[in-house]
PDB file of all heavy atoms in Angstrom:
ATOM      1  N   ALA X   1      37.936  83.175 138.742  1.00 79.00           N
ATOM      2  CA  ALA X   1      38.502  84.522 138.900  1.00 79.00           C
ATOM      3  C   ALA X   1      38.033  85.445 137.780  1.00 79.00           C
ATOM      4  O   ALA X   1      37.635  86.588 138.021  1.00 79.00           O
ATOM      5  CB  ALA X   1      40.022  84.450 138.930  1.00 79.00           C
ATOM      6  N   ALA X   2      38.058  84.936 136.531  1.00 79.00           N
ATOM      7  CA  ALA X   2      37.642  85.754 135.391  1.00 79.00           C
ATOM      8  C   ALA X   2      36.162  86.100 135.476  1.00 79.00           C
ATOM      9  O   ALA X   2      35.755  87.224 135.170  1.00 79.00           O
ATOM     10  CB  ALA X   2      37.933  85.008 134.090  1.00 79.00           C
ATOM     11  N   ALA X   3      35.340  85.137 135.910  1.00 77.00           N
ATOM     12  CA  ALA X   3      33.905  85.387 136.027  1.00 77.00           C
ATOM     13  C   ALA X   3      33.624  86.451 137.083  1.00 77.00           C
ATOM     14  O   ALA X   3      32.774  87.331 136.896  1.00 77.00           O
ATOM     15  CB  ALA X   3      33.185  84.091 136.373  1.00 77.00           C
ATOM     16  N   GLY X   4      34.353  86.378 138.190  1.00 71.00           N
ATOM     17  CA  GLY X   4      34.167  87.377 139.243  1.00 71.00           C
ATOM     18  C   GLY X   4      34.533  88.767 138.788  1.00 71.00           C
ATOM     19  O   GLY X   4      33.838  89.747 139.087  1.00 71.00           O
ATOM     20  N   ILE X   5      35.626  88.860 138.028  1.00 68.00           N
ATOM     21  CA  ILE X   5      36.036  90.163 137.498  1.00 68.00           C
ATOM     22  C   ILE X   5      35.025  90.666 136.474  1.00 68.00           C
ATOM     23  O   ILE X   5      34.661  91.845 136.463  1.00 68.00           O
ATOM     24  CB  ILE X   5      37.438  90.060 136.871  1.00 68.00           C
ATOM     25  CG1 ILE X   5      38.480  89.771 137.957  1.00 68.00           C
ATOM     26  CG2 ILE X   5      37.798  91.338 136.123  1.00 68.00           C
ATOM     27  CD1 ILE X   5      39.860  89.489 137.409  1.00 68.00           C
ATOM     28  N   ALA X   6      34.551  89.757 135.606  1.00 69.00           N
ATOM     29  CA  ALA X   6      33.627  90.151 134.538  1.00 69.00           C
ATOM     30  C   ALA X   6      32.330  90.715 135.101  1.00 69.00           C
ATOM     31  O   ALA X   6      31.799  91.714 134.598  1.00 69.00           O
ATOM     32  CB  ALA X   6      33.337  88.955 133.637  1.00 69.00           C
ATOM     33  N   ILE X   7      31.812  90.092 136.135  1.00 66.00           N
ATOM     34  CA  ILE X   7      30.555  90.555 136.725  1.00 66.00           C
ATOM     35  C   ILE X   7      30.678  91.997 137.203  1.00 66.00           C
ATOM     36  O   ILE X   7      29.745  92.792 137.101  1.00 66.00           O
ATOM     37  CB  ILE X   7      30.146  89.630 137.882  1.00 66.00           C
ATOM     38  CG1 ILE X   7      29.740  88.257 137.329  1.00 66.00           C
ATOM     39  CG2 ILE X   7      29.001  90.230 138.694  1.00 66.00           C
ATOM     40  CD1 ILE X   7      29.482  87.227 138.403  1.00 66.00           C
ATOM     41  N   LEU X   8      31.858  92.335 137.710  1.00 62.00           N
ATOM     42  CA  LEU X   8      32.056  93.671 138.267  1.00 62.00           C
ATOM     43  C   LEU X   8      32.574  94.672 137.242  1.00 62.00           C
ATOM     44  O   LEU X   8      32.343  95.876 137.380  1.00 62.00           O
ATOM     45  CB  LEU X   8      33.040  93.586 139.446  1.00 62.00           C
ATOM     46  CG  LEU X   8      32.530  92.794 140.658  1.00 62.00           C
ATOM     47  CD1 LEU X   8      33.674  92.523 141.618  1.00 62.00           C
ATOM     48  CD2 LEU X   8      31.420  93.545 141.363  1.00 62.00           C
ATOM     49  N   ALA X   9      33.260  94.177 136.216  1.00 61.00           N
ATOM     50  CA  ALA X   9      33.902  95.088 135.270  1.00 61.00           C
ATOM     51  C   ALA X   9      33.090  95.340 134.006  1.00 61.00           C
ATOM     52  O   ALA X   9      33.182  96.415 133.416  1.00 61.00           O
ATOM     53  CB  ALA X   9      35.277  94.546 134.885  1.00 61.00           C
ATOM     54  N   LEU X  10      32.306  94.350 133.573  1.00 59.00           N
ATOM     55  CA  LEU X  10      31.557  94.517 132.332  1.00 59.00           C
ATOM     56  C   LEU X  10      30.397  95.484 132.514  1.00 59.00           C
ATOM     57  O   LEU X  10      29.886  95.663 133.637  1.00 59.00           O
ATOM     58  CB  LEU X  10      31.049  93.153 131.860  1.00 59.00           C
ATOM     59  CG  LEU X  10      32.125  92.151 131.416  1.00 59.00           C
ATOM     60  CD1 LEU X  10      31.488  90.839 130.996  1.00 59.00           C
ATOM     61  CD2 LEU X  10      32.956  92.720 130.259  1.00 59.00           C
ATOM     62  N   PRO X  11      29.922  96.100 131.422  1.00 57.00           N
ATOM     63  CA  PRO X  11      28.814  97.071 131.517  1.00 57.00           C
ATOM     64  C   PRO X  11      27.469  96.384 131.704  1.00 57.00           C
ATOM     65  O   PRO X  11      26.687  96.227 130.757  1.00 57.00           O
ATOM     66  CB  PRO X  11      28.888  97.797 130.170  1.00 57.00           C
ATOM     67  CG  PRO X  11      29.499  96.802 129.236  1.00 57.00           C
ATOM     68  CD  PRO X  11      30.482  96.029 130.059  1.00 57.00           C
ATOM     69  N   VAL X  12      27.210  95.944 132.925  1.00 51.00           N
ATOM     70  CA  VAL X  12      25.954  95.255 133.218  1.00 51.00           C
ATOM     71  C   VAL X  12      24.958  96.186 133.910  1.00 51.00           C
ATOM     72  O   VAL X  12      23.939  95.720 134.415  1.00 51.00           O
ATOM     73  CB  VAL X  12      26.217  94.011 134.112  1.00 51.00           C
ATOM     74  CG1 VAL X  12      27.053  92.987 133.372  1.00 51.00           C
ATOM     75  CG2 VAL X  12      26.913  94.436 135.411  1.00 51.00           C
ATOM     76  N   ASP X  13      25.231  97.479 133.894  1.00 49.00           N
ATOM     77  CA  ASP X  13      24.357  98.424 134.593  1.00 49.00           C
ATOM     78  C   ASP X  13      22.922  98.358 134.092  1.00 49.00           C
ATOM     79  O   ASP X  13      21.977  98.424 134.881  1.00 49.00           O
ATOM     80  CB  ASP X  13      24.888  99.855 134.431  1.00 49.00           C
ATOM     81  CG  ASP X  13      26.338  99.980 134.850  1.00 49.00           C
ATOM     82  OD1 ASP X  13      27.172  99.264 134.253  1.00 49.00           O
ATOM     83  OD2 ASP X  13      26.632 100.771 135.749  1.00 49.00           O
ATOM     84  N   SER X  14      22.749  98.197 132.762  1.00 49.00           N
ATOM     85  CA  SER X  14      21.393  98.192 132.206  1.00 49.00           C
ATOM     86  C   SER X  14      20.595  97.000 132.699  1.00 49.00           C
ATOM     87  O   SER X  14      19.375  97.063 132.835  1.00 49.00           O
ATOM     88  CB  SER X  14      21.461  98.168 130.677  1.00 49.00           C
ATOM     89  OG  SER X  14      22.184  97.030 130.223  1.00 49.00           O
ATOM     90  N   LEU X  15      21.291  95.885 132.996  1.00 48.00           N
ATOM     91  CA  LEU X  15      20.591  94.699 133.495  1.00 48.00           C
ATOM     92  C   LEU X  15      20.083  94.903 134.912  1.00 48.00           C
ATOM     93  O   LEU X  15      19.151  94.229 135.352  1.00 48.00           O
ATOM     94  CB  LEU X  15      21.520  93.482 133.455  1.00 48.00           C
ATOM     95  CG  LEU X  15      22.057  93.086 132.070  1.00 48.00           C
ATOM     96  CD1 LEU X  15      23.010  91.917 132.211  1.00 48.00           C
ATOM     97  CD2 LEU X  15      20.897  92.732 131.137  1.00 48.00           C
ATOM     98  N   LEU X  16      20.696  95.825 135.633  1.00 49.00           N
ATOM     99  CA  LEU X  16      20.325  96.054 137.027  1.00 49.00           C
ATOM    100  C   LEU X  16      19.439  97.275 137.193  1.00 49.00           C
ATOM    101  O   LEU X  16      18.973  97.554 138.301  1.00 49.00           O
ATOM    102  CB  LEU X  16      21.593  96.244 137.877  1.00 49.00           C
ATOM    103  CG  LEU X  16      22.570  95.075 137.903  1.00 49.00           C
ATOM    104  CD1 LEU X  16      23.840  95.461 138.647  1.00 49.00           C
ATOM    105  CD2 LEU X  16      21.942  93.845 138.541  1.00 49.00           C
ATOM    106  N   ALA X  17      19.210  97.986 136.105  1.00 50.00           N
ATOM    107  CA  ALA X  17      18.497  99.261 136.210  1.00 50.00           C
ATOM    108  C   ALA X  17      17.110  99.117 136.802  1.00 50.00           C
ATOM    109  O   ALA X  17      16.634  99.984 137.529  1.00 50.00           O
ATOM    110  CB  ALA X  17      18.400  99.914 134.825  1.00 50.00           C
ATOM    111  N   GLY X  18      16.456  98.003 136.517  1.00 49.00           N
ATOM    112  CA  GLY X  18      15.097  97.840 137.031  1.00 49.00           C
ATOM    113  C   GLY X  18      15.040  97.248 138.418  1.00 49.00           C
ATOM    114  O   GLY X  18      13.958  97.043 138.964  1.00 49.00           O
ATOM    115  N   ASN X  19      16.168  96.955 138.999  1.00 51.00           N
ATOM    116  CA  ASN X  19      16.205  96.344 140.324  1.00 51.00           C
ATOM    117  C   ASN X  19      16.592  97.385 141.376  1.00 51.00           C
ATOM    118  O   ASN X  19      16.667  98.577 141.088  1.00 51.00           O
ATOM    119  CB  ASN X  19      17.203  95.183 140.328  1.00 51.00           C
ATOM    120  CG  ASN X  19      16.777  94.086 139.373  1.00 51.00           C
ATOM    121  OD1 ASN X  19      15.656  93.598 139.448  1.00 51.00           O
ATOM    122  ND2 ASN X  19      17.670  93.708 138.456  1.00 51.00           N
ATOM    123  N   ASP X  20      16.842  96.893 142.557  1.00 52.00           N
ATOM    124  CA  ASP X  20      17.210  97.770 143.668  1.00 52.00           C
ATOM    125  C   ASP X  20      18.466  98.571 143.307  1.00 52.00           C
ATOM    126  O   ASP X  20      19.462  98.011 142.836  1.00 52.00           O
ATOM    127  CB  ASP X  20      17.472  96.923 144.916  1.00 52.00           C
ATOM    128  CG  ASP X  20      17.495  97.773 146.174  1.00 52.00           C
ATOM    129  OD1 ASP X  20      18.022  98.892 146.128  1.00 52.00           O
ATOM    130  OD2 ASP X  20      16.966  97.307 147.195  1.00 52.00           O
ATOM    131  N   SER X  21      18.420  99.870 143.511  1.00 53.00           N
ATOM    132  CA  SER X  21      19.542 100.739 143.152  1.00 53.00           C
ATOM    133  C   SER X  21      20.793 100.448 143.972  1.00 53.00           C
ATOM    134  O   SER X  21      21.882 100.902 143.628  1.00 53.00           O
ATOM    135  CB  SER X  21      19.154 102.208 143.332  1.00 53.00           C
ATOM    136  OG  SER X  21      18.814 102.474 144.689  1.00 53.00           O
ATOM    137  N   ARG X  22      20.650  99.687 145.051  1.00 51.00           N
ATOM    138  CA  ARG X  22      21.822  99.357 145.870  1.00 51.00           C
ATOM    139  C   ARG X  22      22.862  98.601 145.062  1.00 51.00           C
ATOM    140  O   ARG X  22      24.070  98.764 145.265  1.00 51.00           O
ATOM    141  CB  ARG X  22      21.411  98.525 147.084  1.00 51.00           C
ATOM    142  CG  ARG X  22      20.667  99.300 148.170  1.00 51.00           C
ATOM    143  CD  ARG X  22      20.278  98.377 149.298  1.00 51.00           C
ATOM    144  NE  ARG X  22      19.406  97.311 148.803  1.00 51.00           N
ATOM    145  CZ  ARG X  22      19.019  96.272 149.555  1.00 51.00           C
ATOM    146  NH1 ARG X  22      19.461  96.154 150.784  1.00 51.00           N
ATOM    147  NH2 ARG X  22      18.207  95.351 149.061  1.00 51.00           N
ATOM    148  N   TYR X  23      22.402  97.728 144.145  1.00 48.00           N
ATOM    149  CA  TYR X  23      23.343  96.955 143.354  1.00 48.00           C
ATOM    150  C   TYR X  23      24.192  97.860 142.464  1.00 48.00           C
ATOM    151  O   TYR X  23      25.381  97.615 142.262  1.00 48.00           O
ATOM    152  CB  TYR X  23      22.598  95.928 142.495  1.00 48.00           C
ATOM    153  CG  TYR X  23      21.862  94.896 143.326  1.00 48.00           C
ATOM    154  CD1 TYR X  23      20.479  94.824 143.313  1.00 48.00           C
ATOM    155  CD2 TYR X  23      22.569  93.995 144.124  1.00 48.00           C
ATOM    156  CE1 TYR X  23      19.807  93.884 144.076  1.00 48.00           C
ATOM    157  CE2 TYR X  23      21.908  93.050 144.896  1.00 48.00           C
ATOM    158  CZ  TYR X  23      20.515  93.001 144.866  1.00 48.00           C
ATOM    159  OH  TYR X  23      19.863  92.073 145.626  1.00 48.00           O
ATOM    160  N   LEU X  24      23.568  98.904 141.919  1.00 51.00           N
ATOM    161  CA  LEU X  24      24.319  99.861 141.109  1.00 51.00           C
ATOM    162  C   LEU X  24      25.339 100.604 141.960  1.00 51.00           C
ATOM    163  O   LEU X  24      26.453 100.884 141.508  1.00 51.00           O
ATOM    164  CB  LEU X  24      23.354 100.850 140.446  1.00 51.00           C
ATOM    165  CG  LEU X  24      22.472 100.283 139.329  1.00 51.00           C
ATOM    166  CD1 LEU X  24      21.478 101.334 138.853  1.00 51.00           C
ATOM    167  CD2 LEU X  24      23.322  99.794 138.169  1.00 51.00           C
ATOM    168  N   GLU X  25      24.961 100.900 143.194  1.00 56.00           N
ATOM    169  CA  GLU X  25      25.900 101.562 144.098  1.00 56.00           C
ATOM    170  C   GLU X  25      27.088 100.659 144.389  1.00 56.00           C
ATOM    171  O   GLU X  25      28.238 101.108 144.453  1.00 56.00           O
ATOM    172  CB  GLU X  25      25.195 101.947 145.399  1.00 56.00           C
ATOM    173  CG  GLU X  25      24.131 103.030 145.225  1.00 56.00           C
ATOM    174  CD  GLU X  25      23.418 103.338 146.526  1.00 56.00           C
ATOM    175  OE1 GLU X  25      23.850 102.795 147.570  1.00 56.00           O
ATOM    176  OE2 GLU X  25      22.450 104.101 146.509  1.00 56.00           O
ATOM    177  N   TYR X  26      26.800  99.362 144.590  1.00 50.00           N
ATOM    178  CA  TYR X  26      27.886  98.412 144.826  1.00 50.00           C
ATOM    179  C   TYR X  26      28.843  98.382 143.632  1.00 50.00           C
ATOM    180  O   TYR X  26      30.072  98.351 143.803  1.00 50.00           O
ATOM    181  CB  TYR X  26      27.324  97.000 145.059  1.00 50.00           C
ATOM    182  CG  TYR X  26      26.496  96.856 146.308  1.00 50.00           C
ATOM    183  CD1 TYR X  26      25.516  95.868 146.404  1.00 50.00           C
ATOM    184  CD2 TYR X  26      26.688  97.692 147.407  1.00 50.00           C
ATOM    185  CE1 TYR X  26      24.752  95.727 147.543  1.00 50.00           C
ATOM    186  CE2 TYR X  26      25.922  97.560 148.553  1.00 50.00           C
ATOM    187  CZ  TYR X  26      24.950  96.576 148.615  1.00 50.00           C
ATOM    188  OH  TYR X  26      24.192  96.435 149.747  1.00 50.00           O
ATOM    189  N   LEU X  27      28.287  98.363 142.421  1.00 51.00           N
ATOM    190  CA  LEU X  27      29.117  98.345 141.219  1.00 51.00           C
ATOM    191  C   LEU X  27      29.976  99.592 141.105  1.00 51.00           C
ATOM    192  O   LEU X  27      31.166  99.530 140.784  1.00 51.00           O
ATOM    193  CB  LEU X  27      28.232  98.214 139.972  1.00 51.00           C
ATOM    194  CG  LEU X  27      27.847  96.800 139.536  1.00 51.00           C
ATOM    195  CD1 LEU X  27      26.906  96.871 138.337  1.00 51.00           C
ATOM    196  CD2 LEU X  27      29.065  95.976 139.198  1.00 51.00           C
ATOM    197  N   GLU X  28      29.352 100.739 141.360  1.00 57.00           N
ATOM    198  CA  GLU X  28      30.089 102.000 141.267  1.00 57.00           C
ATOM    199  C   GLU X  28      31.236 102.035 142.270  1.00 57.00           C
ATOM    200  O   GLU X  28      32.345 102.463 141.962  1.00 57.00           O
ATOM    201  CB  GLU X  28      29.138 103.171 141.497  1.00 57.00           C
ATOM    202  CG  GLU X  28      28.134 103.374 140.358  1.00 57.00           C
ATOM    203  CD  GLU X  28      27.100 104.442 140.691  1.00 57.00           C
ATOM    204  OE1 GLU X  28      27.195 105.013 141.800  1.00 57.00           O
ATOM    205  OE2 GLU X  28      26.223 104.687 139.859  1.00 57.00           O
ATOM    206  N   THR X  29      30.959 101.564 143.495  1.00 56.00           N
ATOM    207  CA  THR X  29      32.008 101.524 144.523  1.00 56.00           C
ATOM    208  C   THR X  29      33.120 100.570 144.116  1.00 56.00           C
ATOM    209  O   THR X  29      34.311 100.865 144.269  1.00 56.00           O
ATOM    210  CB  THR X  29      31.412 101.087 145.868  1.00 56.00           C
ATOM    211  OG1 THR X  29      30.384 102.002 146.256  1.00 56.00           O
ATOM    212  CG2 THR X  29      32.491 101.051 146.947  1.00 56.00           C
ATOM    213  N   ALA X  30      32.729  99.403 143.584  1.00 49.00           N
ATOM    214  CA  ALA X  30      33.718  98.404 143.176  1.00 49.00           C
ATOM    215  C   ALA X  30      34.620  98.940 142.071  1.00 49.00           C
ATOM    216  O   ALA X  30      35.836  98.757 142.096  1.00 49.00           O
ATOM    217  CB  ALA X  30      33.011  97.135 142.713  1.00 49.00           C
ATOM    218  N   ARG X  31      34.016  99.622 141.099  1.00 51.00           N
ATOM    219  CA  ARG X  31      34.811 100.150 139.993  1.00 51.00           C
ATOM    220  C   ARG X  31      35.727 101.277 140.458  1.00 51.00           C
ATOM    221  O   ARG X  31      36.849 101.425 139.955  1.00 51.00           O
ATOM    222  CB  ARG X  31      33.884 100.622 138.885  1.00 51.00           C
ATOM    223  CG  ARG X  31      33.200  99.460 138.172  1.00 51.00           C
ATOM    224  CD  ARG X  31      32.064  99.909 137.295  1.00 51.00           C
ATOM    225  NE  ARG X  31      31.410  98.770 136.656  1.00 51.00           N
ATOM    226  CZ  ARG X  31      30.254  98.843 136.009  1.00 51.00           C
ATOM    227  NH1 ARG X  31      29.623  99.998 135.930  1.00 51.00           N
ATOM    228  NH2 ARG X  31      29.732  97.769 135.464  1.00 51.00           N
ATOM    229  N   LYS X  32      35.275 102.059 141.401  1.00 54.00           N
ATOM    230  CA  LYS X  32      36.121 103.112 141.954  1.00 54.00           C
ATOM    231  C   LYS X  32      37.325 102.491 142.664  1.00 54.00           C
ATOM    232  O   LYS X  32      38.448 102.983 142.558  1.00 54.00           O
ATOM    233  CB  LYS X  32      35.335 103.984 142.930  1.00 54.00           C
ATOM    234  CG  LYS X  32      36.141 105.150 143.498  1.00 54.00           C
ATOM    235  CD  LYS X  32      35.305 105.989 144.434  1.00 54.00           C
ATOM    236  CE  LYS X  32      36.105 107.192 144.941  1.00 54.00           C
ATOM    237  NZ  LYS X  32      37.328 106.800 145.650  1.00 54.00           N
ATOM    238  N   ASN X  33      37.079 101.385 143.389  1.00 49.00           N
ATOM    239  CA  ASN X  33      38.184 100.697 144.055  1.00 49.00           C
ATOM    240  C   ASN X  33      39.224 100.233 143.038  1.00 49.00           C
ATOM    241  O   ASN X  33      40.434 100.291 143.282  1.00 49.00           O
ATOM    242  CB  ASN X  33      37.656  99.509 144.845  1.00 49.00           C
ATOM    243  CG  ASN X  33      36.853  99.930 146.062  1.00 49.00           C
ATOM    244  OD1 ASN X  33      36.978 101.047 146.540  1.00 49.00           O
ATOM    245  ND2 ASN X  33      36.012  99.043 146.557  1.00 49.00           N
ATOM    246  N   ALA X  34      38.734  99.739 141.887  1.00 46.00           N
ATOM    247  CA  ALA X  34      39.655  99.263 140.853  1.00 46.00           C
ATOM    248  C   ALA X  34      40.487 100.399 140.284  1.00 46.00           C
ATOM    249  O   ALA X  34      41.676 100.247 140.007  1.00 46.00           O
ATOM    250  CB  ALA X  34      38.874  98.573 139.738  1.00 46.00           C
ATOM    251  N   LEU X  35      39.859 101.561 140.127  1.00 46.00           N
ATOM    252  CA  LEU X  35      40.597 102.721 139.607  1.00 46.00           C
ATOM    253  C   LEU X  35      41.619 103.226 140.609  1.00 46.00           C
ATOM    254  O   LEU X  35      42.643 103.801 140.232  1.00 46.00           O
ATOM    255  CB  LEU X  35      39.614 103.846 139.255  1.00 46.00           C
ATOM    256  CG  LEU X  35      38.694 103.578 138.057  1.00 46.00           C
ATOM    257  CD1 LEU X  35      37.680 104.706 137.918  1.00 46.00           C
ATOM    258  CD2 LEU X  35      39.502 103.419 136.778  1.00 46.00           C
ATOM    259  N   ASP X  36      41.345 103.004 141.904  1.00 47.00           N
ATOM    260  CA  ASP X  36      42.243 103.481 142.958  1.00 47.00           C
ATOM    261  C   ASP X  36      43.272 102.433 143.363  1.00 47.00           C
ATOM    262  O   ASP X  36      43.926 102.566 144.393  1.00 47.00           O
ATOM    263  CB  ASP X  36      41.428 103.892 144.193  1.00 47.00           C
ATOM    264  CG  ASP X  36      40.567 105.113 143.926  1.00 47.00           C
ATOM    265  OD1 ASP X  36      40.879 105.850 142.977  1.00 47.00           O
ATOM    266  OD2 ASP X  36      39.569 105.309 144.646  1.00 47.00           O
TER     267      ASP X  36
END
């Protein structure tokens, strides 16, 4: 459970910057869900 939360909550955007931008979109959507 903690690992799943960490993957989505920690600032891993820089690790994904060179990959498909879809992953960043998924992260942004996930974090918005958490705020809501």
Side-chain angles (χ1 to χ4, degrees):
I5 293 173
I7 291 173
L8 294 168
L10 293 179
V12 295
D13 306 59
S14 58
L15 300 177
L16 300 174
N19 297 307
D20 195 321
S21 61
R22 287 178 300 173
Y23 296 114
L24 290 175
E25 293 177 7
Y26 295 154
L27 274 177
E28 291 173 1
T29 301
R31 289 167 182 169
K32 183 179 183 301
N33 290 340
L35 291 174
D36 293 339

